[in-house]
Amino acid sequence: MPYLPWKRSGHRQAIESENTGLSADTAPEADFPEGIKELHACPNPVVDICFIHGLTGDRERTWTAKGEEKSWPELLLPTRLANARILTWGYDAYVMNKGQASQNRLEDHARTLLADLSNERIDNGASTRGLIFVTHSLGGLVCKEALLRSRETPERHWKGIFENTVAIAFMGTPHKGSWLAKWGNIPCQALGIVKSVNKGLLSFLQTDNAHLSSLHRRFCDMRRDLQENTPRSLHITCFNEALGVPPWGLIVPTDSASFEGHDAIPIRANHMDMVKFTEGSNGFRLLLAELRRWKRELEEASTANASVVQGHPASVVQDPSEDEFFPSVKLCSRFEDRDEAMCYISEKILSLQRANNMPVGLLHGLPGLGKTQVCLKYIKALRESHPWIWLVNAESQRSLNHDYAGIASDLGLRSTNDFQGQASAQDREQASQLEKTVGEMVKKKLEKAKVQWVLIFDNFQSTGIEEFCNYLPNSRYGIVLACAPDLAARIAIDPNFVYDVPKLGDDHLENIFWTDMQIERSDDDSSKATFDSARTLIKTLEQHTLSVHLAGNYIGQESGFRPTQKDIDTYIAALKHTGGGLPSQLPDILGPLWQSFKLSIGKLQRKNEQRFKDAIELLRLNTLYSQSYLPRRLFEEAIDRSNHGFGFLTSRPRWRKTEQVLVSWGLLVVETRGQEHGTSMLQVLHRCAGIGMWTEEGTSGSKLAKWRLAIRILGESVPSTSRQEDLDFRRLLVPHIDACLGNCKDPSSLLLDGTLEIRTAVEMLLSFSRVYLESGRFEGAKSFQSRASIKAEAAFGPLDELTISSKREHALSLDILGDSSASLQLRKRVYEDSLQKCRVEVLDGSPDDNPWIAEHYYGATADLAISYSRHVAHRKEALELRQRILEFSKAASSSSSPSEADRTQLLKAKRDYATSLFDFDRRKEALQLREEVSASLNDEEDGFAWNARRELVVSLTQTGQLLRARDLAEKILTDRTKKVGDDHPTTCVALATLAAVHIRSQENEQALQSLDKVIEKSTTIWGRDHLMTQHVLIDYAVVLAKMRKTRDSALEDATNTQREVLSVMTRNRGPEDYEVLKARVQMARMIQYYDPGVAQKQLSEVIHVLQRYGDPYCAVIQLKQVDCLIALGERQEAADILRTMDTGQGDVTTMLELKRLTKLATVYFDIAEAPDHSLDGPIASFSASSQEPGDDTSSVSENGASVTSGTPKSITSSSSVKTLEVTPKIVYHEFTREHLFRMSCDLRKQVVQHLEPAGGVGYHGAATKVIDDHFTAQACHNLAKSYARDSLFLNAISMQKRVFLYYEQYWGHDHTRTQYHHWTLDEWMDEGSSMV
């Protein structure tokens, strides 16, 4: 709706309005600003503050002081209230209008507020963020009504407003009415210009109005309930006007502006002006203090106060009006109230909560008695107060891990898809560790959460779960209930209350029985005998609930749901004559259930109709799957393929009839999950069927055939796309794959025994392996892939497409599981086979547009490059392979009609090649490629996109574009937090990236704060021994060492960290692993601050390893070793190393060679500048001549203290040169001082010329190109110092100006280095002026 200027007439103002001068001549005629408007946005907000105006108000002008163009929430709050997003809401609150006044009631405005605010917060990813309201007058009443409706509504997105509101500031709100309402009847006639009046809204504000009193009472009751029954608080502060409006006085009296327990704070202004603050007003200071207090309390709990992103988890209550509120189980519609159970559980839980203890209850009893139903009935009443509720299948370790993985996903703690298919093996390793620690992750998250939650452990089997304590959270906000068949579970659960679920009484069981019959109970004489027989049947079945249910369905089906006494007596007689006895696998207490089940199955087997025969076959097939939800889509797709030729799988109508038979006989339960339909079986019934359906003579061969059929249906139904519905469907298949394949020792043998065509069997095994990979079941995936690749190679040869595919997937699992050597060898074979296949299919041996080659040859090449990049001896090969892939990808994407796959492949190739370039210190080239990749991704938000942006931050950081790096890093962190939550692994990685920017910028305090959080999160997610955590620990120690004042304590900390990290990494990866070597280099960097000798020795050991493999990275480490020698005062030895060093890149234009020349020039300069007596000792002024303040490799002074001052004590200039004794004396080999100065200057010119070929040396040797990277800035600064030493101040100043502009643009004006270069520029300008 467009904004129209509000029209004002010239009529005399009759009465002041609340906010804008309430009168007929000032009311809007047509339009007004409505809905939510964002006044201020900020990165990483922790709270939303929403302003609501009152009668005839405006969402901005209500809060705007006289003479101001903007409202004070927009002008004053952002600078005083960090991390707060400011919103304002407008609505039609005009009770009088020249045209037609709005007839909306208070309830209408409240609903509009809920709709506007909830939608706006969902759109901005803020639906679970804390919320504060600041309300004026009528706005406070609208807010109260909205919160009450939000609490009671079945709409989940509306309910979030109540659940996340933490505080309300009421400004002049008439809680008990306002006599302002009286004027609605008096001035209207007197004015004679008002055409329409909303008298309903006015009357609502009268002091004794019943509706207003009801609203206030309900609001107080709601707050009282929160305080007494939940750990949550809703903060309230009231403000009242201290000045009246002549001649009417106070619009809202003091007693009306406050209510019980909340005295109002007076603001010295009238009703309209009390919310029009200026910067110095006392009212603003009073309100700001309250806002800060509320925000501070919210921030203290912010890490644990996150809710589920965009709604509730899949297994949480979805719709309070529905009984089926768990996807995996439903509340029986015939549930008989267990008043005793409900009262006992409620009393125990409430008493424990009052004592600030977490209730942990164990419900035990016979299978089939309704333990789960009791739990579901109880928590149905908790759905409004407990937004997080999960039902976990605790039957086995596998099922427990599966459900906890789902909870972790719901809580934003994991997303395997964020790590799949990425170039970085570390990313996939993170995914592996994530799955292994899922129980502990969920536990820690729930223990920190300030949201009330419930966990129900169903089918708990204490013998099948190890270390259950790792899964059980302990929080006063939580409730834990476990359903177990016996008291043995007490050892694992350690409950603080136990309830023995008794058998239902006869009356309740009779209700269940007759409900199955679809008959109402009756006590008339004609039916008395029938009901007596039913009571006898219930006693015969030992009052076992599920047995009675099966009997009811049996008798109902056989009698057409019109049972007689004879029908029931016949069933009782049949029970007594059921043969076979109770199987040894079942406990004696399940005797009645076994008898009922056998009767039902026997009756179905004796029927001649095809649908009953099909029902028996379907039931047998179901026993091979899990009792969990089995989607109909599985069978429907098998039917559509029409290649099974198996009975009920020949057509959908026939299969539906078959399924309906089992449902009507009580053997299957129909379930619905969203748009999906399916069935499930009760666990105890599934157990009986698994025994009873295969005990008959001649069924052993049939069972093997059914196994093959069950596996084949699963294998052929696994979708290969990444659509969300297919991802969800594959997740549903996991328990059925587990159950089906768990029935034999070697599941792959069922597929590879020759019954199926071999290619089909191999493809099924690969399908199962992909499902297992997505579920974190890496060992199982590896087993399937290994068998598949062996069988495929034996049947089709090594060059077959299926063989190569299966080997590639096998290598991936080996890589994830940490067997990098085996993965490398396998990938080498795959690469060679793929290359040979290319030679066979393409005569000239070079890849062309063949789609197979594009997918597999280059896929195999990329895989091998990943493995090569992780081994010191093969990193150069990784670079060459990735360059080859990039060239091919460019050619494919430049064709006349490139596909989307070509575009994606090019981006991946650029990203991978940039990674290798970065490893070889070719950082500017890597930056250029990463810029291209990031620009091509636009607003994409998948795992590939966010990792590409993160890598761009790394390149920007290393090339010195720190301001841009920081902005992008903060944006990435904000986006990840908003999308996946604060505790998600990718958010942790994003925070570590931002910490690296702080480290490079020498922002040590910020770096330590970020690293503290990263260490905590990384340890929780992956464990302290993980590579990610170890690297962060090293960074933390480096920063800490920089900040320590005393040498000994810092060195001790560094040494301890070094021992811990290197011990762990060497144990896990081996002493010569590339990551271990990088860690040792990082450690040497840290030690160099306090003991360059130790650092130099460690670097020598790393160089020795790299030289054995001929790794070019060796030269990079040698340059770092030179820094240690210089710090030790061994300048001539450092120069000797630099003069003879072979960078492996003879071309002088390569970055590594330029760095060597730069460092050599600096050493020459230092030797020439040093006085005679110090030529063999440490150079105290080294940081001024060879490095800049705060450089990562800053040297040390003679006494060992780190040189960290941002302003050097002396800068080399003509004046300092005069103090030197310039003589022909030899100071280094055959060179004099002047020789060394001249050689240093020539080398520096050479470096700058190669870095800036377009600008050359320019005016008097000063390059003119704009500097955009850190190394170039350092090189130019060094050359400027040589010019200054030679008194060429025009050249020096020209060069230094460009250096200063670079730092000001990319590091910020206030940074230490920027100030250093500014100071240097001023000094040289002064020197130049004095000489002139």
Side-chain angles (χ1 to χ4, degrees), residues 460-625:
F460 188 86
Q461 302 291 334
S462 56
T463 57
I465 299 176
E466 301 176 0
E467 299 181 354
F468 183 71
C469 59
N470 291 337
Y471 296 84
L472 193 62
N474 184 13
S475 167
R476 66 190 183 93
Y477 292 90
I479 297 175
V480 173
L481 297 174
C483 302
D486 52 55
L487 286 173
R490 295 185 68 164
I491 299 175
I493 297 176
D494 190 22
N496 44 29
F497 75 91
V498 177
Y499 182 70
D500 183 1
V501 179
K503 297 177 180 179
L504 282 173
D506 290 347
D507 287 343
H508 293 312
L509 289 171
E510 285 181 46
N511 287 337
I512 291 176
F513 180 81
W514 292 113
T515 301
D516 287 329
M517 296 291 112
Q518 304 175 19
I519 296 174
E520 292 186 7
R521 293 177 60 179
S522 173
D523 293 327
D524 58 64
D525 295 338
S526 60
S527 57
K528 185 176 184 302
T530 304
F531 283 95
D532 287 342
S533 293
R535 295 186 184 98
T536 303
L537 171 61
I538 290 169
K539 286 183 172 61
T540 303
L541 293 173
E542 300 178 8
Q543 296 176 302
H544 190 268
T545 308
L546 185 54
S547 302
V548 173
H549 174 57
L550 282 181
N553 281 281
Y554 178 107
I555 297 171
Q557 291 293 326
E558 289 298 288
S559 64
F561 296 99
R562 294 182 178 276
T564 64
Q565 179 184 3
K566 181 180 179 181
D567 295 323
I568 299 174
D569 290 343
T570 301
Y571 187 88
I572 294 172
L575 280 174
K576 296 177 180 179
H577 294 89
T578 302
L582 185 68
S584 59
Q585 300 97 314
L586 297 176
D588 293 340
I589 55 177
L590 291 182
L593 179 62
W594 175 252
Q595 289 177 309
S596 299
F597 172 76
K598 289 292 288 181
L599 278 180
S600 297
I601 297 303
K603 178 58 72 173
L604 290 175
Q605 289 174 330
R606 290 192 296 272
K607 290 182 178 291
N608 294 323
E609 292 181 49
Q610 187 62 48
R611 61 191 180 103
F612 294 110
K613 294 179 181 179
D614 289 346
I616 292 296
E617 296 305 315
L618 177 58
L619 186 59
R620 283 179 175 149
L621 190 62
N622 275 29
T623 63
L624 301 177
Y625 295 132

Side-chain angles (χ1 to χ4, degrees), residues 236-248:
I236 298 291
T237 299
C238 298
F239 297 88
N240 69 286
E241 64 217 58
L243 302 179
V245 178
W248 296 278

Side-chain angles (χ1 to χ4, degrees), residues 726-747:
D726 289 337
L727 291 172
D728 295 339
F729 180 68
R730 287 197 292 269
R731 181 174 169 181
L732 292 174
L733 297 182
V734 171
H736 302 294
I737 295 175
D738 287 343
C740 206
L741 300 183
N743 284 323
C744 57
K745 295 181 180 178
D746 185 6

Side-chain angles (χ1 to χ4, degrees), residues 419 422 424-432 812 815-816 866:
F419 297 101
Q422 296 176 14
S424 170
Q426 180 180 337
D427 290 336
R428 295 193 300 277
E429 189 174 322
Q430 291 171 357
S432 171
L812 172 62
D815 199 16
I816 291 174
I866 291 173

Side-chain angles (χ1 to χ4, degrees), residues 645-701:
F646 186 84
F648 58 88
L649 291 180
T650 55
S651 71
R652 289 196 181 195
R654 181 174 175 181
W655 168 70
R656 287 288 176 86
K657 289 181 180 179
T658 303
E659 182 190 70
Q660 184 56 41
V661 170
L662 296 179
V663 172
S664 61
W665 282 70
L667 298 170
L668 288 182
V669 178
V670 176
E671 292 187 30
T672 301
R673 292 194 183 185
Q675 301 300 317
E676 287 272 2
H677 301 281
T679 59
S680 64
M681 294 182 72
L682 293 174
Q683 183 197 27
V684 66
L685 204 53
H686 186 270
R687 189 177 176 188
C688 289
I691 298 170
M693 299 306 295
W694 304 106
T695 55
E696 299 176 10
E697 187 176 349
T699 58
S700 58

Side-chain angles (χ1 to χ4, degrees), residues 659-929:
E659 182 190 70
Q660 184 56 41
V661 170
L662 296 179
V663 172
S664 61
W665 282 70
L667 298 170
L668 288 182
V669 178
V670 176
E671 292 187 30
T672 301
R673 292 194 183 185
Q675 301 300 317
E676 287 272 2
H677 301 281
T679 59
S680 64
M681 294 182 72
L682 293 174
Q683 183 197 27
V684 66
L685 204 53
H686 186 270
R687 189 177 176 188
C688 289
I691 298 170
M693 299 306 295
W694 304 106
T695 55
E696 299 176 10
E697 187 176 349
T699 58
S700 58
S702 174
K703 185 173 186 178
L704 185 58
K706 285 289 192 307
W707 259 338
R708 292 196 181 99
L709 175 62
I711 293 174
R712 184 173 180 180
I713 290 173
L714 283 171
E716 293 179 349
S717 299
V718 176
S720 58
T721 74
S722 58
R723 295 181 305 172
Q724 188 60 48
E725 56 266 33
D726 289 337
L727 291 172
D728 295 339
F729 180 68
R730 287 197 292 269
R731 181 174 169 181
L732 292 174
L733 297 182
V734 171
H736 302 294
I737 295 175
D738 287 343
C740 206
L741 300 183
N743 284 323
C744 57
K745 295 181 180 178
D746 185 6
S748 57
S749 63
L750 292 176
L751 294 171
L752 301 176
D753 62 356
T755 305
L756 292 174
E757 197 271 325
I758 294 178
R759 189 172 296 275
T760 301
V762 171
E763 289 172 347
M764 288 183 184
L765 282 175
L766 292 179
S767 294
F768 293 150
S769 72
R770 292 170 196 136
V771 175
Y772 273 20
L773 273 177
E774 286 183 344
S775 304
R777 307 276 287 283
F778 302 114
E779 285 288 354
K782 184 186 77 170
S783 175
F784 289 150
Q785 292 156 351
S786 176
R787 290 297 302 268
S789 60
I790 293 172
K791 191 68 175 179
E793 184 168 12
F796 311 117
L799 303 187
D800 184 79
E801 178 180 345
L802 188 59
T803 304
I804 292 175
S805 298
S806 58
K807 286 182 178 179
R808 284 186 63 195
E809 296 190 31
H810 185 201
L812 172 62
S813 290
L814 289 170
D815 199 16
I816 291 174
L817 289 167
D819 195 349
S820 56
S821 297
S823 177
L824 173 60
Q825 296 305 317
L826 183 55
R827 282 172 169 167
K828 281 184 178 179
R829 294 198 299 270
V830 172
Y831 173 74
E832 292 166 359
D833 292 342
S834 300
L835 187 60
Q836 179 63 26
K837 185 174 178 65
C838 287
R839 294 185 179 127
V840 171
E841 297 196 3
V842 184
L843 294 179
D844 64 357
S846 61
D848 62 3
D849 293 334
N850 186 310
W852 185 92
I853 296 174
E855 179 180 355
H856 292 280
Y857 170 68
Y858 286 100
T861 306
D863 292 346
L864 182 59
I866 291 173
S867 287
Y868 274 167
S869 67
R870 299 185 64 190
H871 290 76
V872 175
H874 299 291
R875 291 193 315 113
K876 192 171 183 179
E877 288 98 319
L879 178 68
E880 294 170 353
L881 289 176
R882 286 171 169 170
Q883 185 176 13
R884 191 183 311 168
I885 295 171
L886 179 59
E887 291 169 355
F888 166 80
S889 301
K890 285 181 177 178
S893 63
S894 61
S895 63
S896 57
S897 57
S899 65
E900 182 63 24
D902 292 332
R903 171 186 171 273
T904 303
Q905 173 60 36
L906 178 60
L907 293 178
K908 289 182 178 179
K910 285 183 176 181
R911 182 186 168 198
D912 291 348
Y913 187 51
T915 299
S916 285
L917 288 173
F918 191 84
D919 286 342
F920 281 93
D921 212 36
R922 295 166 61 178
R923 296 180 176 180
K924 203 162 185 178
E925 298 170 77
L927 172 61
Q928 181 179 350
L929 284 175

